[in-house]
Amino acid sequence: IPYYIEHCCDLGINFFDHADVYSDGECESLFGEAMKSVSVPRDKMIIQSKCGIIRGVMYDFSYEHIIKSVDGILERLGTDYLDILLLHRPDALCEPEEVAKAFDELESKGKVRYFGVSNHRPSQIELLKTCVRQEIHCNQMRFSIPYSSLVSTGIEANMITEGGADRNGDLARNHCSGMGSFQRQKRLFRRQQRDLSGPKLGARRNQREVQHHKDRDRGSVDSSSPREDPDDRRNDEL
């Protein structure tokens, strides 16, 4: 790891991203141990970490949790400060006042220099800004080869594929609904198509006309046209 860090810095790659939830902090601990034998000065590196995710609980953006998380991050990394701290994904129960209080304390004590978020919507950032006085410098999005929905959703719109977002007018995005396997999605699509292709207006009359012609061929009825049903007239008007 020390060689990796030094070689990256030699190439001009000096940004290192962490999170307290990555291997439950073990990644930060390994990086911190490696930093002890690295010749690169701390101020030549940009170290970022994230907090807010709790395994088995989901998210916690409370003042207490943010402060406790940052203290643990700094201890594991073996550094006095973070260049950037991100709130790790949105917390639906977030109270902006709690975040603002934590950010103010971390900034005033010199533990964090810049603040940001990850995977937040613009409206969620605006909610934070109602109380947080620090600038939200970045919104780190989850994007890679296996997680390409930022671009693939638009490409696969209305397609029966794993990343299809809108198949028949409904929001059927698998990332949100947890529909599971591709086969289950296909079954759902077929069921929706059957629902959409239900009885059409005038179908009853068509069925009676077919039966009328069959009866006429057998000689059981006269050859006059079938009697019109009042319901059919109402359907035609619709």
Side-chain angles (χ1 to χ4, degrees):
I1 297 178
Y3 170 78
Y4 167 79
I5 296 174
E6 291 189 346
H7 189 57
C8 284
C9 291
D10 289 341
L11 295 173
I13 305 171
N14 66 340
F15 186 96
F16 300 95
D17 176 55
H18 296 277
D20 59 359
V21 74
Y22 294 163
S23 297
D24 295 323
E26 185 63 22
C27 292
E28 292 174 332
S29 297
L30 292 173
F31 190 90
E33 284 297 318
M35 286 281 290
K36 296 176 181 179
S37 57
V38 169
S39 60
V40 181
R42 170 67 180 87
D43 60 359
K44 299 298 181 181
M45 289 186 282
I46 300 174
I47 298 179
Q48 170 182 285
S49 193
K50 302 180 285 293
C51 70
I53 294 180
I54 302 178
R55 295 189 188 279
V57 177
M58 291 301 285
Y59 308 106
D60 186 352
F61 285 0
S62 66
Y63 162 81
E64 293 80 6
H65 182 74
I66 293 174
I67 297 299
K68 181 180 178 181
S69 296
V70 172
D71 287 341
I73 290 170
L74 296 177
E75 181 179 357
R76 289 189 293 273
L77 289 173
T79 184
D80 296 329
Y81 68 93
L82 286 176
D83 293 285
I84 308 171
L85 173 70
L86 304 185
L87 297 178
H88 206 172
R89 302 182 188 172
D91 177 8
L93 302 178
C94 167
E95 296 184 17
E97 298 85 356
E98 295 272 307
V99 176
K101 182 181 177 182
F103 282 10
D104 284 343
E105 181 173 322
L106 293 171
E107 184 182 51
S108 64
K109 292 184 176 181
K111 294 182 178 181
V112 177
R113 294 187 172 181
Y114 301 99
F115 299 88
V117 296
S118 73
N119 300 290
H120 277 56
R121 297 178 183 273
S123 58
Q124 293 167 328
I125 296 176
E126 291 302 315
L127 175 62
L128 289 174
K129 287 182 177 180
T130 61
C131 296
V132 173
R133 63 177 184 82
Q134 292 81 5
E135 182 178 352
I136 304 298
H137 284 275
C138 61
N139 182 14
Q140 179 176 295
M141 307 302 291
R142 187 183 191 186
F143 182 72
S144 61
I145 292 176
Y147 299 102
S148 59
S149 60
L150 281 175
V151 294
S152 65
T153 296
I155 295 172
E156 297 178 292
N158 296 313
M159 295 174 62
I160 318 174
T161 61
E162 192 71 31
D166 191 0
R167 298 180 177 82
N168 69 338
D170 297 327
L171 182 63
R173 186 178 177 185
N174 60 295
H175 297 84
C176 299
S177 60
M179 289 187 295
S181 69
F182 180 51
Q183 294 299 324
R184 289 177 59 196
Q185 293 181 50
K186 288 200 296 186
R187 290 196 296 270
L188 174 62
F189 175 78
R190 294 194 184 101
R191 185 165 62 250
Q192 291 173 333
Q193 289 299 100
R194 287 197 299 269
D195 294 341
L196 290 175
S197 60
K200 294 181 171 54
L201 297 179
R204 290 177 53 197
R205 174 165 39 175
N206 293 337
Q207 294 172 357
R208 283 196 300 275
E209 288 179 351
V210 171
Q211 185 62 44
H212 169 79
H213 289 297
K214 288 182 178 179
D215 294 340
R216 186 187 63 183
D217 293 340
R218 289 198 299 267
S220 58
V221 297
D222 59 34
S223 58
S224 61
S225 58
R227 184 164 53 91
E228 186 175 11
D229 191 311
D231 290 340
D232 293 330
R233 189 181 302 111
R234 285 195 297 269
N235 287 340
D236 291 340
E237 292 173 355
L238 294 174

